[in-house]
Structures are given as C-alpha cells and as structure tokens.
Amino acid sequence: MLSYPQRVCLLIPKSECSEACALGFRRTPRQGQPLCCFNCIACSPGEITNHSDSSECLKCRSNQWSNEKQDKCIDRFLEFLSFEELLGGTLAGSSVFCSFITFSVLMIFIRNHNTPLVKANNQELSYLLLFALIPCYLSSLLFIGYPTGDVCLVRQSAFGMSFVLSVSCILAKTITVMIAFNATKPNSNLKKWVGHRLPYCVVVICSVIQFIICFTWLSISSPFLDIVMPRNTGKIIIECNECSLLAFWCMLGYMGFLALVSFVVAFLARNLPDNFNEARHITFSMLIFVSVWLVFIPAYVSTKGKYMVAVEVFAITSSSAGILSCIFIPKCYIIVMHPEMNTREYLMGKQQISSRI
C-alpha cells in the first residue's frame, strides 16, 4: 500500500512559451506550435476583455464604446455644436453682436430719417432690409445647441426666408436706382414705374416664391432629428436630417439666383452719378455674398457632424455682415462722423464736380 505525505502542493504548470494576455488583448494560437504558445492581439475598437488571458473579446453595446485601455465599455459622447464649446460660443457671440450692430444702424437711420443720405434710394426699403438682416443673424442661433425636432423643422426655412427677404430688398433697391436715373431721360417710358409700388412688388413676389419652396419642402419631406452612430468612433452625432437634399439645394439655389441677378443689375448701374452710387456698394456686397456661398458648397459637402453646421453658421453670419458693411456702414460713418456731408447741397455739388471731371 502506498502512502503520501500529508501536505501535497498541486500546482498548475506555467507555460514558458507565452505570458498571459493582459486586459484589452485576446489570445490567438500560433500555427504549428503547442497550445501553450499563443500571440496576444489587441481587441478591435468597440471591443473589450474584462479579464486577463481571454480567448475572445466582448463587443460593447451600440450606445457604448471601449475605453482607451479596452478593458471597460463606456458611454459614447454626444457630438453637436454647443454653446459651451469655443467654436459654438464664438459663432453665437458673433451673430448676436452683428444683430446688435444692425439694430443700432437701424436706429441711427430712423433717428436721421429726414436727412438726404437716408432718403436716397428708397428709405423704406433700407428700413426693411435692416430689419430683415436681424433675423438673418439670429437664425444662425437655431443651428447651435442640442437640436430638437421642432428646431430641425424650422431652422432651414427660417434662414431661407429671412435671407431671401434681404436679397429681394437689395434687388428692389437696385432696380429703383436704375429706373430713377433712366426715367429722367427725355421720352422715357420708365416714368410710370417710378414710385414705391414696383420695389414692393419685387420684394413680395421674390419672398412668395421662396415661401412656396419652403412650404412644399415641409409638407412633402420635412427635416427631422437624426441620431447617427458612426462605425469605429466613440461618438454619437446628434444632427438634423434635411430629408430632401433636392429641396435644400433648391432653396439655396433660388437665394443664389436672386443674389446673382442683384449683382449683375448693380454692376450695370455702378457708373451712375454719385447721388445714385448705392449701386456700387450693392455690387461689392453681392460679390461678397455670392463668393461666400460659392465657397460654402464644397466646404459643406466635405464636412460632417458639428463642423458641417459650423460651416453653414459661418456662411450665414459672414454674408450678412458683408451686406451690412458694404451698404450701410459707409452711410453711418457720414451720418455720425461727418454730418456736414449729409446735405442735399453737398451731394448735388459732389455730383456736379464729378461730372465736370
């Protein structure tokens, strides 16, 4: 009969071929070698191992992602253009600041409504244009912050309607300049078009067409809130799905068409006498406007997530600022800093001097 010692240590033999795989790695056997020989391969993004020497990785749930060590699943972070981050805060602050400047310019014009510089080129259209620029700036705030279904529904339409109202005012002002000058020529048939009726008809007709585009878009295929979880990333993109890209580009295309027509008409009227020289300022403003939105197209298409939203907000703010700077800031400078130049005699005298030269 065999007898054994009272204390026997039963130990599992340790493999001298491969060390145990750490957390975040899995074992893969080496071909042609014993089972104790294996390689340690890191888990794929979105997968973890919660114990060492694991033979397979565990996939995280759809709303989670692996941490840096790939030993634990953590919630994906939400990506959207927020007011708290530097980019969103800067864009929002710029929009609010520009809307305040526009409101201040409007107040300056209203306070000096009896002066020749304000009366020139249809002051009512100037008021309407300044008033329309304010919602142009403020509409960009709808693109910043956590999007909701209601915000997604109205933000593009609000931006499109306010911008078309602004551009149609510019087009009406340009047409007014052309008619006002050419109507003074002998035997001109344009005298019957002089007045307030034609400019306001242009504004109403242009705005109604954009309203029909937006109303059709919202009725047939309205934008909605979309949650996108890209592969191989630890983020969830919260964005507005425009649903119909055709309607979106039709809205932008119509706005660009009006701006291009305004640019052409203003360019043709740029050499009119100095008391009608607002056409020159309109030409520069529409040149900036068209350039910004031409650059916007490739930038918008090539970006995703919050940066795509930031591109559109920047285009909205910069193109609106171009209109304000080129058309109204020079007049405000004269009204505030050089009131002696804001007289009919000065304007007419300047015209006579220019014509002699």
Side-chain angles (χ1 to χ4, degrees), residues 235-264:
K235 61 185 177 182
I236 299 177
I237 301 177
I238 310 296
E239 63 181 8
C240 292
N241 191 323
E242 311 306 344
C243 192
S244 175
L245 290 178
L246 177 62
F248 173 70
W249 291 112
C250 282
M251 183 192 73
L252 288 183
Y254 175 68
M255 185 180 70
F257 170 75
L258 290 181
L260 187 61
V261 172
S262 300
F263 170 76
V264 172

Side-chain angles (χ1 to χ4, degrees), residues 4-25:
Y4 295 93
Q6 294 182 353
R7 295 184 62 185
V8 177
C9 296
L10 299 178
L11 299 177
I12 300 175
K14 182 179 179 182
S15 169
E16 296 180 355
C17 183
S18 301
E19 295 291 335
C21 293
L23 296 177
F25 293 82

Side-chain angles (χ1 to χ4, degrees), residues 36 54 57 67 99 133 151 220 222 240-241 257 259 281 310 335 346:
C36 60
S54 178
C57 298
N67 62 354
S99 63
L133 283 176
V151 170
I220 297 177
S222 58
C240 292
N241 191 323
F257 170 75
H281 303 298
I335 293 173
Y346 179 84

